Amino acid sequence: MPSVVVEGLTKTFKVPVREEGFLNSLKSLVNRTYRNVEAVKDMSFTLEPGEVVGFLGPNGAGKTTTLKMLSGLLYPSAGHAQVIGFDPSEREAEFLTKVALIMGNRNSLMWDLPVADSLDVRKAIYSIGDADYRSRRERFTEMLDVGDLLTKPVRNLSLGERMKVEILAALLPAPPVLFLDEPTLGLDLSMQKRIRSFVADYAGEEGATILLTSHYMADVTALCERVIVIHRGAKLFDGDLSELSDRFGALKTITVSVTGSLPDVSGYGAVTERTADKAVLAVPRGEVAGVAARLLAELDVLDLSIEDPPIEDVIESTFASGDDQAAAAARVE
Amino acid sequence: MSRFAHSARVTLVHWRLGAQYEVQYRMNFVLQVVESAVRLATGIIAIQLVFGFTTRLGGWSEPELYTVLGVHVLLGGLLSTFVLPNMFSFMYEVREGDLDFALIRPVDSQMFISTRQIGFWSLVDVVVGIVVLGWAFADLADTIGPVDLLLFALGLICGALILYSVWMAFTTTSFWLIDTDEMATIITGLYDAGRWPIRIYPLWLQGALTAVVPLGVAITVPAEALTDRLTPGAMITLLVVTVASIAAARAYWLYGVKNYSGASA
Amino acid sequence: MNRLLPIYLVEGKAAVQRQAQYRGAAFISVLGFLIEPIVYLIVWRTVAEQAGDINGYGVDEFTSYYIVWTLVRVFNLALAPGAWDWWVRTGRIANDLLHPVNPYHRQLAGMAGAKVVWITLWIPVAVFLTVLFRPQFSPSLLEGTVFFVTAWAGYVIRFNVLWLLGLVSFWTTRAQALIEVIIAMELLLSGRLVPMAIMPQWVQTVSTWMPFKWTFEFPIEVFIGQLTTAEIWQGLGMQLAWIAITGLGIMAVWRNAIRKFTAVGT
């Protein structure tokens, strides 16, 4: 019995058209025109219990919209979804107790009061038993290392600390289904790692089904074996993470800066950016070590760094604008 | 170009863009009309109730009360159109810590934050105020001469400037207080006290509404000009309060900005 | 029902803590609420001084009325329909909609808790007003207790009415205009602007059949001892009826309002 079944899910928004200039403003006073924005187009996939799946895509791809439809916050324009046997749009109390949506950068705890007080409120709202509450609270507090934060008002916490306690609060009812929307957005590296390991532990211990969106590859590589890629509202890819790297011909970027002026480096790899003393090269994953070694040996290198390109670049570069045929061909069901 | 002329230019651009933007929202127009109508009806009903039982309120007759109401609505409309949106924007920015960009423009800072936005449809209230005044004027026409009208116009301008200065000073306080929602309700409440001529209030309240938070005098004195009650003393008080308010608000603002930017006072 | 009680308790407690923290700001708010009744008080005392007794209300009666008004006002403060706009715009409503509890309960409980603090802050204000205006009333312990009940009932009614209006605002922005009109009606029909006895007879009849009077004037009259025992019982009955009617209205409208919201989202 799958945890999450999504079939032909579609969401279209009607957006008013607004143009510049006084005359146009007056015109729209009398005659308002709209255009349709398809945020999610005919999305279908299935999640089995215990799966931890990454939901990747650039900004505005439709990830958050999909999650909101699966949590009951948005009513789909077409298609339907089933989450642990419930229709999210019905918003039944049992459904809401068993499904958690955590949105990065969103604050749902009481701002002025100590974290512990908000946790007590959650206990009442989710009807968590005393024993369960105490044990989970203790366990999660330790796992997230937020022991000394519980007595502080939420407003006094840093962004990362707030995120940690939000996650703690959201998981107190031990929901079997967890949707995470950009949970590490804006956090520093150590905080990101901490949150990722907590989510991984939770998934392992509770056997929860987790759908996690991000536009950081690192979130996904740490937690997910399976990945769904969404672009402009449509599903582009659904399969193993390893396959994703191969299929999208993962490139890495090497940023090299030298003392003095930089000679022609086009021989080392594709140059995406260049100034007098610095260049950014796109290099196939397998060749990175070799190219880096050559650069270090042959140039007067001041600084060299190797990074993953952001997911937007990967997707955009592989499916150059207008090349929707190739995009369709690459879609894996 | 002089600094002032430059700031004035920027102000006009702000107002034009603001009007342009809001004109699109016909729902806001409809809402405004309903809001203004409802407020007017409430004001009229209150006056009608009073005059159902007496012919004079503290010596003021019915048309005279309508004069006060008219000035109240008119000035309130000007306030809501040109002043309040900017004040609330600024207070919001202080709360969010988004202040810096507003203060580093190459324009006078006070003028900039005071004129960025317009509540265009609140001009409906200005029209309503004028209509009410016109209606009251019909009953009072024979007691008013051209000099009275002139003094009334002057009084209105002073009233508008005082109201702006009071709000400006209050908004400046948010540099320190950060959360000023509650105080905003007080100032709005005090403005409502100006729907009635402050002369009926006990002296301590009149004094407060003249010297401390001069919202009352800003409305009553122009009304007095139209109702043949204006004493030279009152007019002079109004002028003095106007100049004092503008100066005080400006000084306070500059002090606030300096303080905020960390410059030693 | 037993699922709700812990929620009410914990939410109310949290609200008390929150308000206690911001008691400075809360006190200023309480002061802000005073301006309106003091203005009404002065105006009507002036009229009464001139015209004598008005339908049973003389200078003393107006004074008592508007001073008790300030306490009842603290009791009947509720979530303004405008707050819904903020709630939706900031996306906070999404958080609340994810919980398996209708946000109604948390808000009702929260405001009730806040009131406990506000009423304590009101006390010095009451002392000040009493010294300044010298009202004439001395309720018995029984009258005080009954007042207490009617004041809380008034809160629930007003909260429900405003909550309903907030929900209606989901339908269309045209509803906003309707909301303005209803708020104005409340001002006139609840005893907020003037005691209903001052109003023409037909207005008084209309107000008896609307919920507003039972949130404002009725508790005031109970306190200043203007009603017979029969009238008090009738009034309590009306309050109960209005709590039921508005409660049913909310239950009927909630699902559809949420449908409207989830069609568009934040």
Side-chain angles (χ1 to χ4, degrees):
Chain A
M1 169 81 196
S3 277
V4 177
V5 179
V6 174
E7 269 171 50
L9 206 61
T10 305
K11 186 65 190 168
T12 311
F13 290 108
K14 226 167 64 159
V15 174
V17 174
R18 236 158 261 167
E19 289 173 58
E20 273 186 55
F22 196 69
L23 275 161
N24 282 322
S25 305
L26 271 182
K27 253 198 288 177
S28 64
L29 181 66
V30 179
N31 180 24
R32 182 60 74 73
T33 48
Y34 294 90
R35 61 186 174 98
N36 283 336
V37 174
E38 279 185 296
V40 176
K41 284 187 271 215
D42 202 26
M43 173 81 50
S44 303
F45 58 83
T46 307
L47 303 183
E48 298 296 325
E51 274 200 270
V52 181
V53 178
F55 203 28
L56 281 179
N59 284 330
K63 312 189 291 287
T64 307
T65 309
T66 307
L67 287 194
K68 282 187 175 174
M69 285 194 278
L70 292 176
S71 338
L73 281 182
L74 268 188
Y75 196 63
S77 310
H80 52 267
Q82 229 195 32
V83 177
I84 40 170
F86 294 95
D87 176 0
S89 313
E90 293 296 312
R91 299 174 37 80
E92 289 161 77
E94 207 191 321
F95 166 76
L96 293 172
T97 313
K98 293 196 168 148
V99 173
L101 171 65
I102 301 176
M103 298 183 266
N105 241 337
R106 276 273 196 125
N107 178 54
S108 72
L109 300 176
M110 296 189 290
W111 191 246
D112 316 305
L113 295 181
V115 175
D117 290 342
S118 288
L119 298 182
D120 287 340
V121 173
R122 287 294 168 98
K123 172 179 184 288
I125 292 176
Y126 283 85
S127 306
I128 308 175
D130 289 336
D132 281 335
Y133 175 67
R134 260 190 310 251
S135 76
R136 283 178 208 154
R137 186 173 137 163
E138 228 178 87
R139 208 169 83 224
F140 296 160
T141 305
E142 218 201 287
M143 282 160 76
L144 286 166
D145 190 26
V146 291
D148 45 347
L149 299 182
L150 292 188
T151 49
K152 289 192 187 171
V154 172
R155 67 164 185 265
N156 289 352
L157 302 180
S158 71
L159 185 63
E161 291 171 336
R162 247 183 276 149
M163 204 50 219
K164 286 201 286 186
V165 296
E166 284 279 345
I167 292 179
L168 193 163
L171 295 184
L172 272 180
V177 176
L178 182 57
F179 299 130
L180 291 157
D181 190 27
E182 309 272 6
T184 59
L185 190 67
L187 301 181
D188 64 62
L189 231 50
S190 68
M191 206 59 89
Q192 288 184 15
K193 286 206 198 124
R194 171 83 67 168
I195 286 177
R196 280 178 213 139
S197 71
F198 176 74
V199 172
D201 284 342
Y202 179 80
E205 282 185 33
E206 305 282 336
T209 311
I210 300 183
L211 184 58
L212 148 78
T213 79
S214 188
H215 61 267
Y216 296 137
M217 262 323 251
D219 279 348
V220 172
T221 42
L223 295 166
C224 314
E225 283 185 0
R226 175 178 160 202
V227 163
I228 299 173
V229 177
I230 179 174
H231 186 47
R232 299 209 189 119
K235 189 170 79 166
L236 269 192
F237 174 87
D238 183 355
D240 275 356
L241 182 58
S242 48
E243 228 186 291
L244 179 72
S245 302
D246 298 338
R247 182 163 297 276
F248 284 78
L251 299 166
K252 280 205 174 254
T253 60
I254 299 180
T255 308
V256 58
S257 62
V258 299
T259 50
S261 84
L262 188 71
D264 179 17
V265 287
S266 52
Y268 295 97
V271 181
T272 55
E273 260 176 65
R274 208 213 134 95
T275 60
D277 63 348
K278 196 161 89 165
V280 179
L281 301 167
V283 176
R285 195 173 284 272
E287 298 171 27
V288 160
V291 170
R294 278 174 56 208
L295 285 167
L296 287 168
E298 294 162 18
L299 298 178
D300 199 356
V301 173
L302 190 63
D303 189 21
L304 186 140
S305 66
I306 303 172
E307 278 150 11
D308 278 316
I311 192 67
E312 292 95 325
D313 290 2
V314 173
I315 294 179
E316 284 296 340
S317 65
T318 314
F319 302 96
S321 49
D323 203 357
D324 288 312
Q325 294 279 18
R331 227 164 278 172
V332 173
E333 295 312 312
Chain B
M1 192 189 304
S2 81
R3 193 131 187 261
F4 180 76
H6 175 62
S7 300
R9 259 268 207 95
V10 174
T11 301
L12 287 174
V13 171
H14 280 153
W15 286 352
R16 180 174 61 81
L17 288 175
Q20 197 170 294
Y21 177 71
E22 275 225 40
V23 158
Q24 297 176 93
Y25 292 92
R26 62 179 150 182
M27 211 56 243
N28 287 359
F29 171 63
V30 172
L31 282 178
Q32 180 67 52
V33 169
V34 172
E35 224 183 275
S36 298
V38 159
R39 255 204 308 258
L40 180 66
T42 317
I44 293 177
I45 290 174
I47 295 179
Q48 288 300 111
L49 280 174
V50 166
F51 284 94
F53 297 104
T54 182
T55 47
R56 295 251 157 191
L57 182 70
W60 289 63
S61 71
E62 202 178 315
E64 291 173 339
L65 251 317
Y66 279 113
T67 315
V68 179
L69 180 66
V71 175
H72 185 263
V73 173
L74 198 168
L75 286 180
L78 286 176
L79 201 63
S80 299
T81 307
F82 294 104
V83 178
L84 293 184
N86 293 298
M87 301 295 119
F88 286 121
S89 269
F90 183 79
M91 289 189 259
Y92 177 77
E93 279 165 0
V94 170
R95 251 205 310 261
E96 302 292 307
D98 256 344
L99 207 39
D100 303 301
F101 82 91
L103 297 178
I104 58 170
R105 303 285 190 215
V107 193
D108 180 80
S109 59
Q110 183 181 354
M111 211 150 180
F112 185 73
I113 69 113
S114 303
T115 63
R116 283 182 292 178
Q117 293 173 305
I118 268 199
F120 183 74
W121 290 124
S122 295
L123 286 174
V124 169
D125 263 340
V126 176
V127 173
V128 169
I130 293 176
V131 168
V132 172
L133 282 171
W135 185 38
F137 187 79
D139 275 325
L140 301 165
D142 21 336
T143 57
I144 307 175
V147 178
D148 295 311
L149 285 173
L150 219 64
L151 287 172
F152 170 67
L154 180 60
L156 269 188
I157 295 173
C158 288
L161 290 171
I162 291 176
L163 291 178
Y164 164 67
S165 303
V166 168
W167 271 98
M168 193 62 230
F170 164 65
T171 304
T172 308
T173 318
S174 57
F175 271 129
W176 295 274
L177 267 189
I178 313 286
D179 195 355
T180 41
D181 278 345
E182 291 76 26
M183 287 209 54
T185 1
I186 294 197
I187 305 224
T188 322
L190 283 175
Y191 185 69
D192 274 337
R195 256 198 303 148
W196 309 90
I198 59 172
R199 309 301 173 201
I200 68 169
Y201 296 147
L203 277 171
W204 58 269
L205 191 52
Q206 274 192 63
L209 290 173
T210 306
V212 179
V213 190
L215 297 173
V217 72
I219 303 165
T220 301
V221 173
E224 286 180 330
L226 266 191
T227 55
D228 203 24
R229 285 168 184 277
L230 190 58
T231 64
M235 196 66 209
I236 292 173
T237 310
L238 184 69
L239 289 165
V240 169
V241 168
T242 308
V243 172
S245 313
I246 297 175
R250 177 125 183 106
Y252 190 34
W253 168 257
L254 290 173
Y255 173 68
V257 173
K258 226 187 193 185
N259 202 273
Y260 173 80
S261 351
S264 52
Chain C
M1 195 48 71
N2 60 339
R3 202 169 73 88
L4 288 176
L5 187 60
I7 295 174
Y8 271 83
L9 286 175
V10 87
E11 201 67 55
K13 177 165 155 277
V16 171
Q17 285 172 281
R18 204 182 297 125
Q19 287 302 315
Q21 233 190 85
Y22 290 114
R23 50 186 178 274
F27 186 65
I28 292 182
S29 274
V30 172
L31 288 182
F33 287 123
L34 287 188
I35 300 168
E36 194 185 339
I38 289 180
V39 171
Y40 297 155
L41 177 56
I42 294 174
V43 169
W44 284 101
R45 269 164 66 120
T46 312
V47 177
E49 275 161 9
Q50 188 91 45
D53 201 299
I54 302 175
N55 298 355
Y57 278 84
V59 172
D60 288 331
E61 286 76 24
F62 276 122
T63 309
S64 311
Y65 186 87
Y66 283 113
I67 289 183
V68 178
W69 189 112
T70 61
L71 178 58
V72 173
R73 183 74 182 109
V74 175
F75 265 105
N76 70 26
L77 284 171
L79 208 64
W84 285 80
D85 187 50
W86 173 85
W87 210 12
V88 170
R89 239 183 329 110
T90 55
R92 284 193 158 73
I93 194 172
N95 291 325
D96 291 312
L97 289 179
L98 289 171
H99 296 319
V101 163
N102 194 319
Y104 169 84
H105 300 289
R106 299 186 63 195
Q107 295 294 337
L108 183 70
M111 285 217 87
K115 267 179 224 306
V116 171
V117 176
W118 287 48
I119 291 167
T120 10
L121 292 173
W122 169 86
I123 293 173
V125 168
V127 171
F128 171 71
L129 287 176
T130 311
V131 165
L132 196 60
F133 289 108
R134 308 219 159 270
Q136 312 281 344
F137 52 70
S138 42
S140 67
L141 188 60
L142 180 64
E143 280 169 330
T145 317
V146 176
F147 166 76
F148 193 70
V149 172
T150 60
W152 279 110
Y155 163 59
V156 177
I157 298 174
R158 189 155 188 273
F159 186 91
N160 285 0
V161 170
L162 291 181
W163 186 265
L164 257 174
L165 290 182
L167 286 179
V168 167
S169 69
F170 275 134
W171 256 264
T172 156
T173 38
R174 284 176 231 278
Q176 301 276 35
L178 178 68
I179 290 173
E180 299 277 345
V181 174
I182 295 183
I183 303 276
M185 272 171 55
E186 195 213 5
L187 181 69
L188 299 169
L189 297 177
S190 63
R192 181 168 166 176
L193 184 69
V194 287
M196 292 315 295
I198 308 296
M199 289 284 198
Q201 190 57 50
W202 66 271
V203 177
Q204 291 188 46
T205 317
V206 170
S207 89
T208 316
W209 295 105
M210 304 234 78
F212 310 115
K213 170 178 153 142
W214 308 103
T215 68
F216 226 132
E217 184 180 70
F218 178 58
I220 297 178
E221 289 182 325
V222 169
F223 192 97
I224 55 184
Q226 277 219 340
L227 299 174
T228 67
T229 317
E231 285 171 329
I232 294 181
W233 279 113
Q234 276 170 8
L236 281 167
M238 285 298 261
Q239 285 191 311
L240 210 63
W242 277 110
I243 293 179
I245 294 171
T246 52
L248 289 170
I250 290 174
M251 289 198 283
V253 163
W254 174 252
R255 262 188 77 88
N256 281 315
I258 288 306
R259 261 297 196 263
K260 284 279 167 192
F261 170 75
T262 55
V264 182
T266 332

